[in-house]
Amino acid sequence: MKTHTRVLVIGGGVVGCSVLYHLTKLGWTDVMLVERSELTSGSTWHAAGGFHTLNGDTNMAALQGYTIRLYKELEAITGMSCGLHHVGGITLADNEARFEQLKAERAKHRYMGLDTEILGPEEIHKLTDGMVNLEGIIGALYDPLDGHLDPSGTTHAYAKAARMGGAEIVLHNRVLETNPRPDGSWEIVTEKGTIIAEHLVNAGGLWAREIGAMAGVYLPLLPMAHQYLVTDDIPEIMDILKSGREFPHVMDPGGESYLRQEGRGLCIGFYEKPCEPWSVDGTPWDFGHELLNEQFDKIEDSVNFAYRRFPVLERSGVKRVIHGPFTFAPDGNPLIGPVPGLRNYWSACAVMAGFSQGGGMGLALAQWMIHGEVERDPRGFDVARFGNWTSPGYTVPKVIENYQMRFSVSYPNEERPAARPFRTTPMYEVFDKMNAVWGQQYGLEVVNYHALPGEPRYETPTFRRSNAWEATRQEVLAVREGVGINEVQNFGKYRVTGPNARAWLDRVMAGAVPKPGRLSLTPMLAHSGKIIGDFTISCLSETEFQLTASYGAQGWHSRWFDQNAMDGVRVENISDARSGFQIAGPKARELLSRVTRSDVSADAFKFMDVKRMTVGMANCIVQRVSYTGDLGYEIFTDHMSVRHLWDVLTEAGRDLGLRPFGMRAMMSLRLDKWFGSWGREFSPDYTPCETGLDRFIRWNKEADWIGKAAATAEKAAGPKRKLVSFVVDAKDTDVVAWEPIWLDDAVVGFCTSGGFSHWTGKSVAMGFLPADRVKDGLACEIEILGERRPATVHLAPLWDGDGARMRS
């Protein structure tokens, strides 16, 4: 065993071996893996081995497609068999909502290059040889890539490919300690000796929590006990095999089950509601090649449902029961990437669908380690999406909820209730008494809208326009016709101070760093020129700045700031220490003038100005800008003064008709001006020149800002696609995101977001088209829930096109 290595991967499951292989594939050969027992000794060996591409996150779906296509490459490289069975997969829909979800997924697949299709009952009957009881079935989604494999053979193929690339694998060697060294490397103490590694990868699987704790890291994951059954030989399956075919996978979300062929019988597994977390307080080190005791009682209802859906099962004996633990994160997605707060410590955990996602996650982590970023937007699986506020008390109920709802319909407006409310602001009780209907972002409770008198304080999950429609409309009108108020807690906020603060900002941000008393808008770019932040910079003095961005991106952004630290600069995350309100609408200036002695006239307080002023008794930072696109102000104060600020503003605004508005109204208001949204229009999948953020770049500034070379090259060549806006002839369903855009009977682009502009009375969308096809008034179609609806490119803002109101 060598004692020094560039990368040490801890854990010999499918994910750890995939990471090891991809590191060698991308050129790092001085890498090694240590495993406490044999390869596959955790969850991998007892996995059902199914794989599929279906995933609500398009980047996850694409990486799952990569994983599935990788297996034949592994077989060719190693000469080993992965036991591949590409039998195709069918996901059943037993109600209209589920069928709408499948149609929406099919629409996404059109521009992703995934060859899926919607099936009717007759086609389902034919593909399953009549073995599915179609009572209540409306349709299904078919994916020819779905199938299953040999978990052990596949993991050993990854391992052999890694060894062929120069990797070393050491078995029966448990890690005892992981100690950080001053130079950023790690000392890993194992049973067979100490290893010094430049980078450490925690791919510990069931033991990832224990490995993380050695470095003082809490990883929000939990093993769940999962059970599946393997039947005796079934005559109908044997007949299919005799004809030279195989039975396809069948996912029955209504029955919480997945079904596939296993030899001459069937294998069926369940995501049952009466589920069981396993080893909540830690995984025993001596657990490994054991299974858990059979528990038929918890799957009794699911089995009975399966007998009705698949009658052949009731006539079949059970050959064996597999009951073992698999790890899940609170949202069901993997925890991948550099762990915030630690140098060169990487997570590769909670990949519960290891044979659908393991290859893609290994590729993503290897790219991240070697190139500094991932080819695709990693936010859906980035370990930084959960902050240091997570705890076992949060993780356990969220994982249970996710497990129970794994096969539930996922609605775009759905708010899941487990472990909530948890993180709240001083305004929570005030807004709660005002009929607030709550959403959450990064664990924080955020007002979506305020229910009208007599209405339920619950937004009905749906793919269509919801019961929040009228309340949202009234909140929009309150802003546009008078003045509205909205809490700004859900902004990420950072205080940047020090003699080199301006120089640091000039390097980290692509746009202009403003002069004292002014604001600027700027993208923050990765070295590749991709967008990793959309910021407002407020210059309070030459040595003090405030940055605001997405609240949900705190972990991502703070990690980037740490990675690009500079002497003479201090960056503090003050997102939860500084809060306040924005007020917006034609009466906003009048309201502000009533609560401060500062001059807030149009001449004294111009658009994009920032000033310190006293509001009521509170010392505040006030900046003249608003995401509503209206005349507006953002008023920031310390956390302890928020309730006082609210009392002052609401009392002064009573006769002005001041009304609170939530995020549903905010998202409608921003569409009037075609303002992009972080995570929708602006993300690491896109560039400034594609999205229009290039207008905020200071191309000629002297600083060698991050991403300059890539962005300058794209500017010279011109982007291949452009973000544009549409007015849509919708019915009762508006664009959400990822809907395909049709032109000349071909899919040429996709939507990034959309909704209903209540002020203009139009259904609208934003999305990408080929740059050479962009033209104002261009007629096209947008596919919404399987129906192509007429749409027109509309480049000018729908309201206040010249910005007169916003700048007045």
Side-chain angles (χ1 to χ4, degrees), residues 29 154 159 185 212 233 285 301 317 325 357 459-460 504 575 706 714 744 757 778:
T29 58
T154 300
S185 64
D233 293 354
W285 285 109
D301 291 343
Q357 301 172 343
E459 183 177 8
T460 304
W504 180 79
S575 300
I706 296 172
E714 186 191 32
D744 300 332
S757 165
L778 177 71

Side-chain angles (χ1 to χ4, degrees), residues 97 183 248 609 686:
D183 63 355
D609 274 356
Y686 313 133

Side-chain angles (χ1 to χ4, degrees), residues 594-670:
R594 294 180 179 186
V595 294
T596 183
R597 296 182 63 82
S598 298
D599 186 351
V600 296
S601 65
D603 290 337
F605 199 14
K606 297 180 175 61
F607 180 62
M608 300 293 279
D609 274 356
V610 58
K611 293 186 177 184
R612 295 187 186 274
M613 61 179 69
T614 300
V615 179
M617 293 185 291
N619 292 322
C620 299
I621 296 169
V622 184
Q623 44 198 46
R624 200 186 140 185
V625 68
S626 173
Y627 192 49
T628 65
D630 215 313
L631 169 65
Y633 306 86
E634 293 172 353
I635 308 170
F636 298 93
T637 190
D638 70 273
H639 209 61
M640 297 295 290
S641 301
V642 168
R643 287 288 290 269
H644 166 73
L645 188 60
W646 166 260
D647 291 341
V648 167
L649 290 167
T650 52
E651 179 62 30
R654 197 177 305 279
D655 66 317
L656 299 177
L658 180 67
R659 179 167 179 166
F661 64 100
M663 291 306 297
R664 296 284 185 262
M666 177 81 83
M667 290 296 102
S668 176
L669 290 160
R670 63 105 181 173

Side-chain angles (χ1 to χ4, degrees), residues 49 131-132 197 203 243 265 275 321 323 387 462 465 524 627 727 752 775:
M131 291 171 60
V132 176
S243 69
C275 57
V321 177
H323 190 203
T462 179
R465 292 172 186 163
M524 184 168 72
Y627 192 49
V727 173
T752 53
K775 182 177 66 174

Side-chain angles (χ1 to χ4, degrees), residues 25 91 193 206 305 347 354 393 508 515 550 555 562 627 673 742:
K25 182 179 181 180
T91 302
L206 291 174
F305 192 101
S347 174
V508 171
K515 296 178 180 179
S550 167
D562 288 344
Y627 192 49
K673 300 281 285 186
W742 292 77

Side-chain angles (χ1 to χ4, degrees), residues 130-143:
M131 291 171 60
V132 176
N133 176 4
L134 295 174
E135 181 181 354
I137 297 299
I138 299 171
L141 180 72
Y142 176 72
D143 187 344

Side-chain angles (χ1 to χ4, degrees), residues 6-18:
R6 192 170 198 173
V7 180
L8 179 68
V9 179
I10 301 174
V14 63
V15 177
C17 291
S18 172

